[in-house]
Amino acid sequence: MDRVVPRLVVCVALLGAACGGSNAGGSGAGGGNAGAMAAAGRGGTTGSGGAPVGGVGGGGATGAGGATGVAGTGGGAGGAGGGAGAGGGATGMAGLSGAGGAAGVGGTTASCAPIAPRDPNAFVHPGGLHKRSDMDRMRYLVAAGVEPWAAAYQKLRADSLASPTYAVRGDPTWTQVSRDGGVHASEFESDTNAAYLQALMWIVTQDTRHAQKCVEIFNAWKNLTEVTGGGTAPLNAGLYAYKLVEAAEIIKSTYSGWAAADVQAFKAMLVYPGLSRTAVPASLSDTNGTFYWRIYNGDPGRHGNQDMIAWRAMIVMGVFLDDRIMFDRALRYFKGQTHRTDDLPYPSGPSPSGTQLDDNQYFTTYQVTRQSTLPDYGYNGVLGNYVWENGQCQEASRDQQHAFFGLGIAAGIADVAWNQGDGVWNTLDNRLLKGFEFMARYNVSYIASFPDQTAAWEPAGSEVIVRTDRTGRWRSKAINPHFESDLVGISRGDFPGKRPVFEQALAHFKTRMGRPAAETLWTQRGRDVALAMSGEEPRGFSLDHPGFGGLTFQRPPLCAGDPITGFAANGLPVFGVHVLPGIVRAVDYDHFPVSGEGRTYHDLSPGNAGAQYRADDVDIACGAEGQYVLSSVEPGEWLVYTVHVPTAGNYRIDVRYAAAVAGGAIRIGFGGSDVTGDVALPASGGAWRTTTVATSVALKAGVQALRVSIAGAASAFDLDSIVVGGG
Ligand SMILES: [Ca+2]
Ligand SMILES: [Ca+2]
């Protein structure tokens, strides 16, 4: 993840007075008098000597000196040209009599606006399934008529629950809802699905009728005090809460028409009768309590889908409530970790099997007696307990419908975590992908034939894991094409139009992570077969899935990361798609929660040599104008920026750069196509210069990847921005 470099700078005056940069533009050049970095120009590169005061002009300005420089004889190399400071301090060699290197960061601080370190308790908002950049992507692609987003949007628009004239069915006088056909169940289910779809419509259309419809729904249910139902309490509450809260997170973060008092009432409703980290509320009972206290322990006695749906609801509830303990409670459990010490423990265990109950060729069930000798035991909702090493789902021996639901829910947890900077999507050697591949192969091959799989795949022998689950009540023996113990009906292959889970998994593993096609083969086939048979992903069964992944999750090719325009006061990235014509700052390449190397950038030196702005391998220094700039560029390096072109046409592309020496070159591409070739950037004497690298470049409309590639000589220039203009 981007960890913003702490900007606290201790300016230590060592022998050579390495603290530079008291003046903007850097007179800093600590190094003392006898030859710190070069006076002007790229001190480090040119090496030596120079006037006592560095940085008048290029040296400090470009910030390059320090990175590669060798100090003179006089003093610490650290200062390395004032403005440049950071690089110099970090890597410059000390002068003969100076050890100033380490302190050389001084120069930078004086001129570049500080970036706060990331507040570990702050959340990205909107930050459930969809961030602001994701919303931009949906809206822009639909507006530009790009497929499949346009077709997927039409599918959403055609859903009656997405209509601006949808009649809200809840009532603010109601205090009770009971799932599975109980009190107000049908009204709640309709409104909950509608809330999420209306929120998506609001994202795409910006028509306030949709946002207002969401508010009406939230207000209709804000007085609940009792959630019960036909399933277990965690299943009832988790399934009922997660989509509603996803919608609430979108609306609260993007629409000003939800009154603060109503937001507060809705929040209080979610955790009624009140939040505690030390004790369960005394007034909690089967008839008094809503969502949080139904899900807070997961569902330790049941199949993984029921355990996970509780954590799925909780993780987005944590985001919506700005509650880090709640968010962590869900995520840590899902990862198989222990509870936070400032929170209630998770259910203990183990839960050994007792007397055998049912038995058939697919599974055996047992009575169990829960024990409490092992704290934080971790049941079927722990990722590794739900998706096994071979990709087999814990409940694939039960039926396929629940396995689809469970995997979809796991992906939902992973996506919310990703949006908040966590990479659980990829843990256990891409365990989730293995899960999707196993399930897809088993189900897709049942209804479609492929050259390499002409008959339905029947996993056998070592392809199947025989294992008792974490509850002790269920032992898997074979993959079950039926539905539980109804060994006549078939649940296998019944996914098109009903289980819209494939777009989300593909968006992550194929586009974000760039996994080889062989690894996403069956997930891709699942998506393609579902598309061929029932069109773009719809809402799907009941409340089980968010659906409409062709609109919401799919990403244009090469748009692995999420575009940002900077960092907020809490240190979090500010997400948003760059709109062209416009200026894209070179340092604002796309954000990626785990290493973006090979995905959002390619950088040839470990670490950020300039130690500024971001904590990736990309090298960033502070420019003389107080702006962060791309530095230490090397041929072969590249960066990606997700941009939107509202109107197809011919555009001019300029870059703003500073080059102390000649020999550098740059190349620009859009959507995977090179549009400029290598363009030489002449020496500018270290001064910032804007130059045109291409004219009349034909750009398609829509969201696409702008890629900047470095060519020519290494470290020849620093880059401020890419400027796309008319003509
Ligand atoms: Ca680097
Ligand atoms: Ca570099």
Side-chain angles (χ1 to χ4, degrees):
M1 74 180 68
D2 282 304
R3 275 185 310 98
V4 172
V5 181
R7 306 279 314 166
L8 254 185
V9 173
V10 181
C11 199
V12 184
L14 293 173
L15 285 177
C19 298
S22 51
N23 300 335
S27 61
N33 298 337
M37 294 302 160
R42 308 170 54 79
T45 320
T46 53
S48 61
V53 178
V56 182
T62 64
T68 54
V70 177
T73 54
T91 59
M93 292 168 59
L96 291 180
S97 60
V105 277
T108 7
T109 350
S111 50
C112 271
I115 302 296
R118 182 169 183 152
D119 176 350
N121 290 318
F123 287 97
V124 172
H125 291 299
L129 285 177
H130 315 298
K131 302 182 301 302
R132 195 171 295 273
S133 51
D134 301 315
M135 299 179 183
D136 287 352
R137 182 183 67 236
M138 298 176 212
R139 182 167 63 255
Y140 294 155
L141 284 164
V142 171
V146 182
E147 299 295 358
W149 296 272
Y153 166 67
Q154 289 305 324
K155 190 119 180 185
L156 166 67
R157 191 166 166 268
D159 191 312
S160 61
L161 299 186
S163 166
T165 60
Y166 170 76
V168 175
R169 298 179 62 189
D171 186 311
T173 66
W174 296 348
T175 58
Q176 180 190 5
V177 66
S178 179
R179 180 178 160 263
D180 257 0
V183 178
H184 305 318
S186 64
E187 296 95 331
F188 187 89
E189 290 177 15
S190 177
D191 279 1
T192 298
N193 264 328
Y196 180 67
L197 301 197
Q198 296 282 342
L200 294 183
M201 289 296 293
W202 156 244
I203 289 170
V204 174
T205 66
Q206 298 287 283
D207 180 341
T208 54
R209 289 178 301 169
H210 294 295
Q212 201 51 44
K213 191 67 71 178
C214 289
V215 171
E216 197 182 331
I217 291 169
F218 303 146
N219 283 337
W221 298 98
K222 70 182 178 187
N223 294 316
L224 288 179
T225 58
E226 176 185 340
V227 176
T228 55
T232 61
L235 172 61
N236 297 331
L239 187 63
Y240 267 23
Y242 90 96
K243 266 190 182 177
L244 190 66
V245 180
E246 285 286 348
E249 169 66 10
I250 292 169
I251 297 302
K252 179 173 75 77
S253 309
T254 62
Y255 178 62
S256 59
W258 189 9
D262 290 338
V263 174
Q264 201 48 48
F266 186 84
K267 286 181 173 179
M269 179 276 292
L270 292 175
V271 300
Y272 179 86
L275 210 48
S276 167
R277 265 67 212 231
T278 55
V280 175
S283 65
L284 186 70
S285 72
D286 288 348
T287 56
N288 196 59
T290 56
F291 294 105
Y292 181 75
W293 291 110
R294 306 294 190 225
I295 62 175
Y296 82 107
N297 268 340
D299 201 346
R302 308 292 295 184
H303 287 288
N305 80 78
Q306 295 186 218
D307 199 10
M308 279 192 299
I309 190 64
W311 309 111
R312 170 67 184 90
M314 189 185 301
I315 196 168
V316 69
M317 207 181 281
V319 175
F320 175 69
L321 296 172
D322 280 303
D323 189 325
R324 182 58 58 171
I325 295 177
M326 187 182 291
F327 177 90
D328 283 353
R329 185 172 182 82
L331 184 56
R332 292 175 64 91
Y333 184 94
F334 185 62
K335 290 177 170 179
Q337 298 172 341
T338 56
H339 73 282
R340 280 175 59 141
T341 54
D342 54 359
D343 193 11
L344 290 166
Y346 298 130
S348 56
S351 188
S353 307
T355 307
Q356 179 178 314
L357 299 173
D358 289 341
D359 182 59
N360 58 46
Q361 69 187 96
Y362 304 108
F363 60 85
T364 307
T365 61
Y366 303 90
Q367 281 188 325
V368 297
T369 307
R370 288 265 302 280
Q371 299 178 0
S372 57
T373 53
L374 298 175
D376 294 341
Y377 185 64
Y379 288 87
N380 289 331
V382 174
L383 174 59
N385 295 341
Y386 191 71
V387 185
W388 296 343
E389 306 88 275
N390 61 347
Q392 179 182 338
C393 253
Q394 174 264 320
E395 54 193 319
S397 60
R398 178 190 185 191
D399 62 72
Q400 298 307 300
Q401 296 303 313
H402 285 95
F404 268 101
F405 174 50
L407 271 179
I409 285 302
I413 294 172
D415 245 359
V416 175
W418 184 264
N419 286 336
Q420 298 298 336
D422 183 273
V424 70
W425 255 121
N426 307 330
T427 53
L428 300 174
D429 191 22
N430 293 316
R431 184 68 65 86
L432 262 173
L433 176 56
K434 290 187 173 73
F436 275 98
E437 285 292 290
F438 189 107
M439 179 180 66
R441 186 179 179 195
Y442 183 74
N443 285 276
V444 176
S445 71
Y446 190 69
I447 62 171
S449 177
F450 302 89
D452 57 308
Q453 184 79 52
T454 53
W457 177 50
E458 304 296 347
S462 63
E463 293 174 319
V464 176
I465 292 177
V466 175
R467 179 176 293 170
T468 301
D469 76 354
R470 292 289 281 186
T471 70
R473 62 187 280 273
W474 189 278
R475 183 169 179 78
S476 292
K477 298 194 293 188
I479 310 305
N480 190 346
H482 304 289
F483 200 90
E484 297 211 2
S485 51
D486 164 15
L487 301 184
V488 178
I490 296 289
S491 76
R492 184 180 186 183
D494 183 16
F495 64 87
K498 190 174 181 181
R499 298 291 173 190
V501 299
F502 291 120
E503 290 281 9
Q504 187 175 16
L506 274 181
H508 182 76
F509 289 110
K510 180 183 170 184
T511 313
R512 277 186 189 144
M513 299 309 299
R515 302 307 305 176
E519 290 185 20
T520 58
L521 179 68
W522 286 98
T523 308
Q524 182 74 54
R525 287 173 172 176
R527 183 261 180 190
D528 294 345
V529 166
L531 186 73
M533 293 181 68
S534 68
E536 290 290 335
E537 288 185 348
R539 192 197 322 155
F541 176 77
S542 182
L543 296 169
D544 284 7
H545 307 283
F548 302 100
L551 168 70
T552 59
F553 297 123
Q554 189 160 141
R555 313 169 74 86
L558 306 179
C559 290
D562 297 307
I564 64 168
T565 55
F567 293 89
N570 58 15
L572 291 174
V574 177
F575 292 100
V577 173
H578 310 278
V579 178
L580 304 181
I583 299 171
V584 180
R585 293 202 305 168
V587 295
D588 284 334
Y589 58 92
D590 287 357
H591 171 86
F592 211 71
V594 298
S595 172
E597 169 58 43
R599 301 183 178 96
T600 55
Y601 65 82
H602 175 49
D603 192 275
L604 292 168
S605 66
N608 177 349
Q612 302 293 305
Y613 196 59
R614 300 173 77 166
D616 293 324
D617 290 329
V618 175
D619 307 304
I620 298 175
C622 182
E625 298 172 346
Q627 88 277 40
Y628 293 109
V629 297
L630 196 62
S631 69
S632 299
V633 296
E634 296 185 61
E637 293 185 336
W638 50 262
L639 306 103
V640 170
Y641 311 79
T642 297
V643 300
H644 173 52
V645 179
T647 309
N650 291 328
Y651 293 90
R652 190 186 72 248
I653 301 171
D654 295 346
V655 297
R656 187 159 191 268
Y657 75 102
V661 298
I666 197 167
R667 187 172 67 249
I668 309 286
F670 283 87
S673 299
D674 173 18
V675 297
T676 65
D678 291 356
V679 179
L681 297 180
S684 68
W688 290 103
R689 169 187 292 179
T690 299
T691 191
T692 299
V693 295
T695 56
S696 297
V697 172
L699 297 181
K700 294 177 190 166
V703 176
Q704 51 202 292
L706 187 175
R707 183 157 129 163
V708 171
S709 301
I710 307 301
S715 293
F717 65 93
D718 289 353
L719 186 65
D720 173 276
S721 52
I722 304 97
V723 186
V724 176

